[in-house]
């Protein structure tokens, strides 16, 4: 291909009409192909799969994960009787019983009947009360369709009603924080002036009770080319402050503290993540940071006090330094300890650091090295449990356990999920494939213990490879019932493979940055290398190998379809990015330029085009019969990626005579792909059924 043709030729423009999300013509095309897919797939076996998946999603003995605020433990819950769900709370004494007594704060199904509108709960923020007083006020976020846009309403926790004439913000991409009982700081993309090119809020306004948002004064704003303006009000007693963030791109931002009415910039490079907790700053550099004669490596965690750093730039200590095979995944504080969750070769570790000594961190003993573990504080402000932690442990075949206890003591299991699928005959193993450039790529494999290595086993690969997101083991009843319990006519059980490819965060920033922009191909080479390794080890063969991915994982799947069709028998490509020429103009795509590159710049479009599946189908044509069976799916209300990208690749493949492609697009669900347990079960069953019927 000539350089000129790379820059100017674009045969995909004939599909631009599918960008009109709600146009009659586009929706007619969507209905035609969605109905075709459902006629072929949604048979008795499909409905059985839906019922089995929905049963575990609705099961009443799932673990109700909670957040402690004051004396109460808050939870949001969906089941068969509560399609849209209930926001509720209970006490510790009740929570630890087998059947907690829940106080229902907001019943979304009742709200839907009352208002004639399905609202989907998207979280709540409580206003800190005066000392000794109960929590009384909350801001509740409600989505009309499961997308990113939400309405925000003030809620009365004592009377369990929305506050008449209270704060009420219209549906938009909005965040809001309580400044005090009568003032909110609101970042909302409600009009073009207040919206960035990435479709997020450009301004933060100070909204007083009774005023209109459009009239509220702007207290912080960013350039419209930046991603968003963020705000957080820290109401911790003794450390009250307002924090503004100017998000320049997905990996660069500037943090400002409002001090004496002025916004003071935190003087660190824009690719250093800034965290505040009480008197401490924590800094996490994404690249090596040169500061005051010292080098702080990418992926490390640095700690100092706020006052000292603002005055002199002094760093107190480095609390984590990554090794070549380790990375920081999360952190939290109890009253006297810093909790660090790490991965070493994608195996969980938990380290505990005493905040009042210079001693080395202590490592907690974990039971299963192939499980995932996360820890968090229960409530560092409550003296009765100030140094207690939650620990959640989960594995592919190990049901989730929630434990609690003081730091340094034996933790007590509080809740455990019962087994939801038959796993007695399954075993979990970890392997490493060698990618095209010689890099070792880890992956997990879940297979029958008696697996015969003859290349005939049905296998489902799963991957993501972007935005420094780590793929780790976890117990998924839906995966178990929808895939792992399946067997072929000759009795072969299904296998599942989780890929830890570059672009993710399994080995920290370096693992992510290795597949950024012009190096994006490495993520795809890694995934292909794992597929080839499974064939080399005779676990499976092309005819019996399927793959699935969503969002950025959908982009991964699009590149498997168009770049590596010889490796897979079937692919499910969900809520995907696929048209990389136009992704920055669609929905929130402009915010991902730091990840993929800017196709509006000719030099960058040269490499972006090489991983744009919609363009690869034209630039690297294969025989129509050589492509894997492909299910491409999204939702009409996906306001993050947008549905047109999925539509375009499906249409282009069909027009090029590729007969084994199917398309599916339900209306609601947003980027998550579903709004309730029924639609989640149908979404998963559609994918599993399609893949299984192609490779069994």
């Amino acid at each position: 291909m000539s350089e000129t043709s790379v820059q100017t030729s674009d045969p995909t423009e004939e599909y631009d009409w599918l960008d009109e999300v709600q146009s009659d013509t586009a929706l007619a095309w969507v209905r035609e192909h969605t109905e075709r897919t459902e006629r072929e797939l949604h048979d008795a076996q499909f409905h059985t799969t839906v019922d089995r998946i929905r049963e575990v999603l609705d099961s009443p003995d799932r673990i109700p994960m909670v957040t402690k605020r004051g004396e109460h433990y808050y939870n949001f819950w969906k089941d068969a009787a509560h399609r849209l769900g209930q926001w509720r709370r209970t006490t510790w004494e009740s929570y630890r019983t087998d059947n907690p007594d829940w106080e229902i704060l907001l019943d979304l199904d009742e709200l839907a009947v009352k208002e004639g509108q399905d609202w989907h709960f998207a979280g709540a923020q409580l206003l800190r009360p005066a000392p000794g007083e109960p929590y009384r006020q909350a801001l509740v976020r409600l989505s009309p369709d499961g997308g990113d846009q939400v309405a925000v309403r003030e809620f009365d926790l004592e009377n369990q009603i929305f506050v008449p004439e209270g704060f009420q913000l219209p549906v938009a991409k909005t965040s809001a924080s309580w400044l005090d009982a009568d003032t909110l700081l609101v970042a909302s993309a409600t009009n073009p002036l207040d919206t960035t090119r990435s479709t997020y809020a450009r301004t933060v306004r100070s909204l007083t009770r009774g005023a209109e948002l459009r009239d509220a004064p702007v207290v912080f704003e960013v350039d419209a080319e930046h991603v968003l303006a963020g705000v957080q009000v820290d109401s911790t007693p003794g450390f009250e402050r307002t924090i503004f963030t100017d998000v320049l791109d997905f990996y660069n931002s500037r943090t400002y503290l409002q001090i004496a009415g002025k916004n003071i910039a935190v003087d660190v490079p824009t690719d250093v993540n800034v965290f505040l907790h009480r008197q401490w700053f924590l800094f996490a550099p994404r690249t090596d940071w040169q500061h005051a004669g010292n080098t702080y490596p990418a992926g490390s965690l640095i700690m100092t006090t706020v006052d000292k750093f603002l005055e002199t730039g002094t760093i107190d200590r480095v609390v984590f330094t990554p090794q070549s095979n380790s990375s920081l995944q999360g952190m939290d504080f109890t009253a006297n300890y810093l909790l660090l969750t790490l991965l070493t070769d994608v195996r969980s570790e938990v380290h505990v650091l005493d905040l009042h000594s210079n001693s080395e961190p202590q490592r907690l003993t974990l039971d299963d090295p192939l499980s995932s573990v996360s820890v968090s504080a229960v409530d560092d402000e409550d003296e009765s449990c100030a140094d207690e932690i939650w620990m959640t442990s989960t594995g592919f075949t190990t049901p989730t356990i929630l434990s609690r206890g003081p730091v340094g003591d034996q933790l007590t299991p509080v809740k455990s999920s019962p087994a939801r699928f038959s796993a007695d005959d399954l075993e979990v193993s970890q392997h490493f494939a060698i990618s095209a450039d010689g890099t070792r790529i880890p992956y997990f494999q879940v297979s029958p213990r008696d697996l015969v290595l003859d290349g005939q086993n049905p296998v489902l690969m799963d991957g993501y490879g972007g935005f420094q997101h780590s793929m780790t083991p976890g117990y998924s009843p839906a995966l178990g019932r929808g895939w792992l319990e399946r067997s072929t006519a000759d009795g072969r059980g299904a296998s599942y493979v989780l890929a830890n490819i570059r672009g993710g965060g399994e080995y920290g920033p370096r693992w992510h940055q290795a597949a950024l922009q012009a190096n994006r191909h490495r993520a795809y080479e890694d995934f292909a290398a794992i597929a080839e390794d499974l064939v080399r080890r005779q676990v499976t063969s092309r005819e019996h190998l399927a793959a699935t991915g969503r969002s950025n994982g959908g982009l991964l799947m699009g590149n498997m379809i168009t770049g590596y069709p010889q490796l897979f028998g079937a692919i499910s490509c969900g809520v995907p990015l696929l048209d990389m020429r136009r992704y920055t103009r669609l929905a929130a795509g402009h915010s991902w330029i730091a990840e993929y590159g800017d196709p509006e710049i000719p030099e960058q479009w040269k490499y972006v085009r090489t991983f744009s599946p919609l363009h690869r189908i034209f630039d690297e044509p294969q025989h129509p019969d050589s492509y894997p069976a492909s299910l491409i799916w999204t939702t009409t209300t996906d306001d993050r990626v947008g549905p047109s990208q999925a539509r375009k690749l499906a249409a282009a493949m069909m027009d090029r005579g590729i007969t084994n492609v199917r398309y599916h697009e339900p209306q609601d669900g947003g980027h998550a792909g579903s709004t309730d347990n029924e639609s989640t079960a149908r979404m998963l069953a559609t994918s599993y059924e399609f893949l299984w019927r192609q490779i069994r």
Side-chain angles (χ1 to χ4, degrees):
M1 184 183 299
S2 70
E3 179 176 314
T4 301
S5 65
V6 171
Q7 292 181 348
T8 63
S9 176
D10 193 346
T12 70
E13 291 179 353
E14 65 179 289
Y15 299 103
D16 284 358
W17 59 276
L18 289 166
D19 286 339
E20 298 297 325
V21 174
Q22 297 290 348
S23 77
D24 291 342
T25 305
L27 289 178
W29 183 93
V30 167
R31 284 192 297 271
E32 175 189 353
H33 292 287
T34 296
E35 290 169 1
R36 175 194 183 189
T37 299
E38 293 183 352
R39 283 195 304 271
E40 294 179 1
L41 284 180
H42 291 189
D43 56 12
Q45 177 57 49
F46 165 81
H47 290 294
T48 297
T49 302
V50 170
D51 290 343
R52 298 194 73 241
I53 293 176
R54 188 182 59 242
E55 181 183 19
V56 294
L57 297 178
D58 283 338
S59 58
D61 53 357
R62 289 172 290 137
I63 298 177
M65 296 299 184
V66 291
T67 299
K68 183 178 181 296
R69 291 291 182 269
E71 297 180 354
H72 289 99
Y73 292 74
Y74 291 77
N75 164 262
F76 183 71
W77 183 262
K78 294 180 182 179
D79 58 26
H82 307 96
R83 179 178 67 87
L84 298 175
Q86 294 179 323
W87 186 37
R88 58 189 190 171
R89 66 184 180 185
T90 190
T91 62
W92 171 240
E93 291 74 17
S94 180
Y95 180 71
R96 61 194 303 181
T97 66
D98 291 337
N99 295 292
D101 181 17
W102 294 99
E103 177 187 7
I104 307 303
L105 299 172
L106 179 62
D107 188 309
L108 276 295
D109 295 276
E110 290 181 0
L111 182 65
V113 172
K114 179 181 178 181
E115 299 192 354
Q117 163 75 55
D118 281 3
W119 289 108
H120 304 277
F121 188 77
Q125 182 184 129
L126 277 59
L127 172 66
R128 182 189 295 272
E133 295 293 320
Y135 283 84
R136 292 189 172 92
Q137 293 168 266
L139 296 176
V140 174
R141 295 163 54 86
L142 301 169
S143 167
D145 53 23
D148 291 348
Q149 297 192 85
V150 296
V152 179
R153 298 187 191 178
E154 185 178 1
F155 191 79
D156 182 335
L157 292 168
E158 291 186 307
N159 297 302
Q160 287 110 49
I161 60 171
F162 290 110
V163 177
E165 307 301 323
F167 287 113
Q168 184 166 323
L169 303 176
V171 173
K173 291 184 178 180
T174 299
S175 65
S177 295
W178 291 102
L179 186 61
D180 57 46
D182 294 308
T183 313
L184 303 181
L185 295 183
V186 179
S188 183
T190 52
N191 59 69
L193 179 64
D194 288 342
T195 303
T196 66
R197 279 192 62 187
S198 297
T199 72
Y200 296 106
R202 191 188 69 81
T203 62
V204 177
R205 295 177 180 268
S206 181
L207 178 65
T208 56
R209 188 174 298 279
E212 295 290 337
L213 182 60
R214 63 177 178 270
D215 300 325
V218 173
V219 294
F220 184 74
E221 59 185 314
V222 303
D223 191 288
E225 294 297 311
H226 297 179
V227 174
L228 61 82
V231 61
Q232 175 191 354
V233 177
D234 186 347
S235 61
T236 306
F239 303 98
E240 295 87 351
R241 57 200 163 204
T242 298
I243 305 158
F244 295 110
T245 308
D246 178 0
V247 180
L248 309 178
D249 62 35
F250 218 85
Y251 306 110
N252 289 271
S253 61
R254 294 189 181 94
T255 301
Y256 299 84
L257 297 185
Q258 190 174 78
I259 300 174
K262 295 183 179 180
N263 294 334
I264 307 299
V266 180
D267 188 15
V268 297
T270 59
D271 68 347
V272 173
N273 291 323
V274 178
F275 307 94
L276 287 103
H277 180 79
R278 296 193 174 185
Q279 68 266 42
W280 293 290
F281 267 137
L282 288 101
F283 301 127
R286 289 181 44 76
T287 57
D288 290 353
W289 177 25
Q290 307 292 331
H291 178 75
N294 296 307
T295 300
Y296 300 102
S300 60
L301 186 64
I302 301 144
M303 189 172 182
T304 190
T305 58
V306 173
D307 291 344
K308 185 185 298 184
F309 187 82
L310 291 179
E311 291 174 6
T312 65
T314 301
I315 297 294
D316 285 339
R317 62 196 298 192
V318 178
V319 297
F320 172 72
T321 301
Q323 303 303 308
S324 62
N325 64 341
S326 67
S327 64
L328 176 68
Q329 296 291 305
M331 61 184 174
D332 202 2
F333 285 88
T334 69
N336 296 292
Y337 298 93
L338 173 62
L339 314 170
L340 302 179
T341 305
L342 314 175
L343 288 180
T344 299
D345 280 327
V346 206
R347 301 184 180 208
S348 290
E349 296 181 7
V350 176
H351 292 195
V352 178
L353 181 75
D354 189 326
L355 294 171
H356 306 295
S357 77
N358 290 319
S359 59
E360 291 296 311
Q362 299 300 305
R363 179 176 172 179
L364 300 187
T365 301
L366 306 179
D367 294 332
D368 183 357
L370 293 183
S371 290
S372 295
V373 172
S374 61
V375 292
S376 60
V378 173
D379 185 348
D380 66 310
E381 296 180 24
D382 184 340
E383 293 183 1
S384 68
C385 58
D387 281 319
E388 291 192 15
I389 63 173
W390 299 110
M391 177 181 286
T392 304
S393 57
T394 181
F396 290 116
T397 60
T398 307
T400 303
I401 298 174
L402 177 66
S403 302
R404 175 175 169 169
V407 172
D409 288 354
Q410 184 70 32
L411 302 183
T412 302
V414 178
K415 301 282 183 183
S416 60
S417 175
R420 297 297 185 189
F421 61 92
S422 177
D424 292 342
D425 295 328
L426 296 174
E427 64 179 357
V428 180
S429 54
Q430 187 182 37
H431 305 268
F432 291 82
I434 305 301
S435 194
D437 65 355
T439 303
R440 294 174 76 241
I441 311 300
Y443 66 94
F444 292 99
Q445 178 180 321
V446 186
S447 290
R449 294 183 188 278
D450 59 355
L451 186 74
V452 177
L453 297 177
D454 62 357
Q456 301 302 302
N457 302 293
V459 175
L460 174 61
M461 287 180 63
D462 193 353
Y464 188 78
F467 296 94
Q468 204 173 322
H469 173 70
S470 300
M471 301 287 279
T472 55
Y475 192 73
S476 171
L479 174 68
R481 290 199 170 189
W483 188 262
L484 289 172
E485 285 191 340
R486 293 176 185 263
S487 60
T488 62
D490 60 354
R492 292 176 182 269
S495 295
Y496 173 75
V497 167
L498 186 67
N500 303 119
I501 61 179
R502 282 174 288 184
E506 290 87 347
Y507 291 112
R510 69 176 184 86
W511 197 246
H512 171 235
Q513 293 160 10
L516 278 181
Q517 298 191 352
N519 294 320
R520 198 77 196 170
H521 62 278
R522 289 176 177 164
Y524 311 139
E525 291 171 353
D526 292 355
F527 199 79
I530 295 172
E532 292 167 342
D533 196 56
L534 292 167
V535 173
R536 180 191 63 79
R537 293 174 49 227
Q538 292 191 291
V539 174
T540 192
S541 58
R542 191 256 187 179
E543 293 74 18
H544 302 290
L545 179 58
T548 186
R550 304 187 210 173
S551 190
N552 176 76
L555 175 61
L556 169 66
M557 292 302 105
N559 278 280
M560 293 302 103
I561 293 170
T562 57
Y564 298 87
Q566 74 280 7
L567 297 181
F568 301 95
I571 284 179
S572 174
C573 176
V575 287
L577 289 95
L578 296 171
D579 179 2
M580 300 305 288
R581 180 68 182 93
R582 300 167 187 81
Y583 86 93
T584 59
R585 311 172 197 169
L586 302 171
H590 192 264
S591 64
W592 307 321
I593 287 175
E595 181 80 10
Y596 302 122
D598 189 347
E600 305 297 335
I601 300 174
E603 293 77 12
Q604 294 187 29
W605 171 233
K606 290 180 185 178
Y607 65 73
V608 173
R609 182 166 184 156
T610 67
F611 60 82
S612 176
L614 181 60
H615 293 81
R616 293 188 80 170
I617 205 74
F618 292 93
D619 296 346
E620 305 169 42
Q622 309 284 330
H623 189 279
D625 295 340
S626 68
Y627 290 96
S630 301
L631 173 67
I632 301 174
W633 59 271
T634 184
T635 72
T636 307
T637 56
D638 181 358
D639 56 359
R640 192 176 306 173
V641 167
S644 66
Q645 305 205 39
R647 297 173 180 179
K648 288 179 176 181
L649 182 61
M653 292 177 70
M654 293 173 188
D655 288 350
R656 294 184 70 78
I658 302 169
T659 60
N660 58 352
V661 59
R662 295 296 180 267
Y663 186 77
H664 196 243
E665 183 185 315
Q667 171 70 28
D668 289 339
H671 191 60
S674 62
T675 57
D676 53 30
N677 290 346
E678 170 69 22
S679 61
T680 299
R682 292 178 66 86
M683 172 189 71
L684 295 172
T686 299
S687 182
Y688 291 143
E689 286 299 322
F690 177 85
L691 296 174
W692 182 254
R693 296 177 194 192
Q694 305 299 325
I695 68 164
R696 61 186 173 185

